[in-house]
Amino acid sequence: MSRLGNLGARLYNGEVGYDFIGKRMIWYGVSILITITAVIGLAVQGLNMGIEFKGGAVFTTQKVDVSVADATAAAESVSEHIPLVQGLGNGGVRIQISGVGTQEANEVQKGLAEALDIPASQINADLVGPSWGAQIANKAWTGLGIFMILVVIYLAIAFEWRMAVAALIALIHDITITVGIYVLVGFEVTVGTVIGLLTILGYSLYDTVVVFDSLKEGQKGVTKQTRFTYSEIANRSINSTLVRSINTTVVALLPVAGLLFIGGGFLGAGMLNDISLSLFVGLAAGAYSSIFIATPLVADLKERDPQIKALRQRVLAKRAAAGARDESAGSGEGSGRDDQDDEPREAGVGSPGRHRGQGSDKRR
C-alpha cells in the first residue's frame, strides 16, 4: 500500500488526525480576513468588468506578421481607450476596446488596417452593447438565487437544517474568495467568469456533502454513548474523508490547470482562459471551505442543542472521574487500569481504532 493509502487508512481508523474543530477559530479568522479584504477592494477598486458588461468593440484579424506588442501600440495610437490584445492560435490577433460606439469602431478599424498594413476587410469588427451584459448579469443572479434555495431545501431534507445553513455559508464564502482574487489581482470579469463561478458551486458542494455524509453516519446514537463529544465525532468525520477530499480536488484541479496555463497561456484562448481561471480559484476555495468552514460550523451549531450540551457534560465528567482515579492509583504505572476507560482528549484525535489496537495487544 502506498504512503498516501497508509495515511488514509490511519486517518479513517482514527490512529492519526488533525484537530480541525479545536482550531476552527484560526480558520474562521482567515476567512473573515479574506472576506473583509474582498469587500474593501470591491468598494474601493471594484471589479474589472469585461467588454460584455461595459460595451465596446472586438477586432479580430486573420494571420498577420505582427507581434502582440506591435498590435497593442497600433491600437493605442488609433484609439483613446486602453486596448486588450491577445494572440490567437491561427497567427491572428484579437483587439478588445471598451467603450467604443459604432461610429468610433469604424474609424478604429480603418486606423488599425493602416497601422498594421493590412486590408480593412481582413479585420472583423464585432460590437457589444452594455445592455446585453446587464441581461446576462441579471440572469446569473437569478440562477444563483434559485440554486441557493434548492441547495438549502435539499440539504435540510437529506441531512438537517444545520448542515444546510453551514453549506450555504460555505458557498457564499467560496464566491467571496473568488471575487476577492479577481479584485486584488485585477483579472477581467467576462461571461466566462460568470459561467465558471456558477460551475464551482457544484464542486464545492460535492466535497461538503462527502464530509456531511460521514458525519451523518458517525452521529447515529451519539447521545447514547459517553466516549466522544459531538465536536470530536465531527473532527473524526473530517479526518476520515480528508485524503479523499484531497485526491478529488487535485484530480479536478489538474485538467483545469491545463486549460488555464496551456490553453490560456500558450494558445491564447480568451473565453477558455476566463472559465478556467474562475474554476481554478473556486475549486481550491471549495476544498478549503468543506474542511475548515462547513463542518466546524455544523459542530458549533449542534453544540448549542440541549441534548448535545448534556452529552458534552457527561463525557467531560466521565473523563474527570477517570483522571481522578488515575491520580489516586499512585505513580501512574496503570497496573489496574482498563483500556476501555482511556477516553480521547478534546482534540478528537483519539478514536475507537486506537482502543481496538490496545485491546488486542492485551488479549495477546
Side-chain angles (χ1 to χ4, degrees):
M1 185 181 292
S2 65
R3 287 187 177 182
L4 188 59
N6 245 345
L7 177 61
R10 296 178 68 192
L11 284 168
Y12 183 81
N13 292 325
E15 298 171 8
V16 294
Y18 179 78
D19 187 12
F20 294 99
I21 304 297
K23 294 180 173 60
R24 63 191 181 281
M25 300 309 297
I26 297 176
W27 314 118
Y28 289 170
V30 171
S31 296
I32 291 173
L33 179 62
I34 295 175
T35 302
I36 293 175
T37 304
V39 171
I40 293 176
L42 191 60
V44 175
Q45 182 176 341
L47 287 170
N48 180 21
M49 306 304 292
I51 190 173
E52 296 89 349
F53 300 98
K54 295 188 299 185
V58 178
F59 303 94
T60 306
T61 71
Q62 300 177 8
K63 185 176 181 180
V64 292
D65 188 18
V66 177
S67 65
V68 172
D70 293 337
T72 302
E76 289 178 348
S77 64
V78 299
S79 172
E80 297 179 355
H81 306 277
I82 299 177
L84 176 62
V85 182
Q86 293 177 315
L88 302 179
N90 61 357
V93 291
R94 180 179 184 270
I95 303 172
Q96 177 180 305
I97 304 177
S98 301
V100 176
T102 304
Q103 183 64 32
E104 189 176 359
N106 293 331
E107 297 177 359
V108 171
Q109 183 179 13
K110 295 178 182 178
L112 285 175
E114 295 177 0
L116 299 177
D117 194 20
I118 59 176
S121 58
Q122 293 186 9
I123 301 178
N124 297 323
D126 296 318
L127 293 177
V128 180
S131 60
W132 182 81
Q135 292 177 3
I136 293 295
N138 291 333
K139 290 180 180 179
W141 282 113
T142 302
L144 180 61
I146 295 174
F147 176 83
M148 294 289 192
I149 294 173
L150 293 177
V151 164
V152 171
I153 294 174
Y154 170 76
L155 292 180
I157 296 174
F159 298 97
E160 60 173 295
W161 69 266
R162 296 175 184 85
M163 294 184 180
V165 171
L168 179 62
I169 294 175
L171 286 176
I172 296 173
H173 166 272
D174 298 342
I175 295 176
T176 302
I177 287 183
T178 307
V179 172
I181 294 295
Y182 270 80
V183 170
L184 295 177
V185 183
F187 292 143
E188 188 179 41
V189 178
T190 65
V191 174
T193 304
V194 176
I195 296 172
L197 284 173
L198 295 176
T199 305
I200 63 173
L201 301 179
Y203 285 102
S204 175
L205 274 178
Y206 174 78
D207 278 340
T208 302
V209 169
V210 167
V211 182
F212 283 179
D213 187 62
S214 176
L215 179 56
K216 181 181 179 181
E217 292 296 321
Q219 70 182 14
K220 290 181 178 179
V222 62
T223 57
K224 298 178 182 179
Q225 53 84 45
T226 56
R227 298 186 64 187
F228 305 102
T229 65
Y230 186 89
S231 292
E232 291 168 353
I233 294 174
N235 197 68
R236 181 179 174 125
S237 298
I238 299 176
N239 280 284
S240 65
T241 57
L242 182 61
V243 172
R244 178 178 178 179
S245 296
I246 293 174
N247 285 338
T248 54
T249 301
V250 171
V251 169
L253 281 175
L254 286 177
V256 174
L259 290 174
L260 177 60
F261 298 109
I262 298 177
F266 291 98
L267 301 181
M271 180 67 74
L272 189 65
N273 197 28
D274 298 335
I275 296 176
S276 58
L277 179 60
S278 57
L279 282 176
F280 189 85
V281 176
L283 282 173
Y288 169 83
S289 67
S290 65
I291 296 172
F292 296 98
I293 304 298
T295 308
L297 279 175
V298 173
D300 280 337
L301 293 172
K302 197 76 174 181
E303 290 287 357
R304 300 173 183 269
D305 186 275
Q307 291 184 340
I308 302 301
K309 284 184 178 179
L311 170 65
R312 171 177 284 274
Q313 292 175 358
R314 293 197 302 270
V315 171
L316 296 181
K318 182 176 180 179
R319 292 177 187 173
R325 287 198 303 269
D326 290 343
E327 290 180 1
S328 63
S331 60
E333 296 177 357
S335 57
R337 184 178 176 181
D338 186 0
D339 279 345
Q340 296 301 322
D341 292 331
D342 186 15
E343 300 293 348
R345 299 296 180 184
E346 180 64 21
V349 177
S351 67
R354 272 209 300 271
H355 291 295
R356 288 196 297 268
Q358 292 170 352
S360 61
D361 290 341
K362 280 181 176 283
R363 286 192 294 272
R364 288 197 297 270

